[in-house]
Amino acid sequence: MSVDPCIAVVGAGAFGTALAAVIAQTGRARTLLLGRDASVMTDLTQLGRHEAALPGITLPQGLTYSAQADDLAVADIVLFAMPSQAQISAADTYGPYLKPGVPVVICAKGIEKQTSRLLTEVLEGALPDHPIAVLSGPGFAADIAKGLPTAMSIAAQDLVTAEHLAKAISGQTFRLYASDDRIGVQLGGALKNVLAIACGIVEGMGLGDSARAALIARGLAEMSRLVEAMGGQGDTVRGLSGLGDLVLTATSHQSRNLRFGLALGRGEAIAAQQGGALVEGAFAAAVAARLAEGHQIEMPITSAVAAIIDGRLDIPTAITQLMSRPITTE
């Protein structure tokens, strides 16, 4: 008698809970949501709702909850749905409980701050016996959990693995497109957060929709340059994980990164982490600027955002510098 496969999502925040819900909804796999706080997981088991992360949304009955790391021993696919800077500690904590060869899917958008490494590089060092994939693209947790139509990208080292994961995780309202460009998918997810902050600044300063459109277009060009310099495919940034995610994050007020930039543009003091919610772009900006410098490519918007966040540049001066750059071809 065959046993249904098990997909485990580690990280019971809004995004991890939403992913677990949409996977459980398919009915094709046993689905486990693993969190650190035992009391929270007990509440989820009893109530079937996660009001702190996804208020007003009832979670599927087929979803199970745990705070016990050893429950991962039965998982056939594991999704890491914690913030980018917590991925390495999660790998160290949960890696010993994983079956050999089980794919691990990174569900975070960022670059390791201390080393400027992509998250796939970080996890491959920590989990050398596991294929490492990355899920990214335009998808707010609440939309996914509500069953609203959402499409994202999933990239692995080879298309066979990526397609297997896409089929296992996709559902009726959640569609994944397979890719073998992990570099492009990751950089698109990380850099769009930086550009969303810039779009928030534009809105906060009242600079108009034309300025936002120009910023999105030129920001996409910056993305493409860095992706190609780091060995990825430039075309990837024109897909879901690049352009798609950038348009969503740079135009919707559900985006923490946009709201962070909006506050900066209005001259309001704001922290990069509030109430446990992390503004990933605030950390990615400086890292991306360092990568651009190291690869000797120009990323003026990204560099300006990094300088503004670090307090090295004020917003009016940044705008003047961007608009007075030498005229060139597109």
Side-chain angles (χ1 to χ4, degrees), residues 29-300:
R30 293 172 293 150
T31 309
L32 169 70
L33 178 62
L34 186 78
R36 294 179 300 173
D37 191 324
S39 64
V40 170
M41 306 317 290
T42 298
D43 288 346
L44 290 179
T45 301
Q46 294 173 349
L47 302 175
R49 297 164 76 95
H50 197 337
E51 290 297 331
L54 296 168
I57 297 174
T58 300
L59 302 173
Q61 290 185 352
L63 181 56
T64 58
Y65 311 91
S66 175
Q68 301 297 320
D70 54 7
D71 285 342
L72 291 174
V74 299
D76 300 293
I77 297 172
V78 176
L79 280 62
F80 272 14
M82 65 289 300
S84 58
Q85 306 308 314
Q87 292 275 324
I88 183 62
S89 61
D92 292 339
T93 299
Y94 298 111
Y97 299 95
L98 305 182
K99 290 191 296 188
V102 166
V104 175
V105 182
I106 298 165
C107 304
K109 301 169 182 177
I111 306 166
E112 190 176 53
K113 187 177 181 181
Q114 298 302 322
T115 65
S116 302
R117 292 187 300 170
L118 297 177
L119 297 181
T120 48
E121 298 176 75
V122 174
L123 259 64
E124 281 177 337
L127 302 171
D129 298 326
H130 298 272
I132 305 298
V134 58
L135 185 152
S136 190
F140 287 135
D143 292 348
I144 294 170
K146 289 175 184 175
L148 300 179
T150 304
M152 301 180 75
S153 300
I154 188 162
Q157 196 162 22
D158 60 85
L159 271 178
V160 172
T161 301
E163 289 171 352
H164 164 68
L165 293 170
K167 291 174 182 176
I169 298 170
S170 293
Q172 189 172 5
T173 61
F174 186 67
R175 182 176 178 87
L176 294 182
Y177 286 81
S179 170
D180 60 0
D181 183 12
R182 296 187 302 175
I183 294 172
V185 167
Q186 287 178 96
L187 286 175
L191 296 178
K192 63 89 186 178
N193 287 328
V194 180
L195 297 169
I197 292 174
C199 285
I201 292 172
V202 164
E203 183 176 339
M205 291 284 290
L207 301 180
D209 290 337
S210 297
R212 187 203 304 264
L215 196 152
I216 289 174
R218 297 312 304 160
L220 198 69
E222 291 191 11
M223 271 192 199
S224 182
R225 285 197 289 270
L226 185 58
V227 166
E228 291 178 348
M230 292 184 65
Q233 303 164 24
D235 281 346
T236 299
V237 304
R238 289 181 274 279
L240 287 164
S241 60
L243 177 60
D245 211 357
L246 175 57
V247 169
L248 178 68
T249 312
T251 60
S252 172
H253 282 216
Q254 289 189 63
S255 164
R256 290 190 296 270
N257 293 280
L258 181 74
R259 296 197 305 268
F260 181 81
L262 187 63
L264 290 176
R266 291 172 175 166
E268 301 169 0
I270 184 170
Q273 183 162 357
Q274 297 183 348
L278 189 67
V279 181
E280 293 275 17
F283 296 94
V287 179
R290 288 200 303 268
L291 286 171
E293 184 177 358
H295 288 281
Q296 298 183 315
I297 60 173
E298 292 191 340
M299 296 181 67

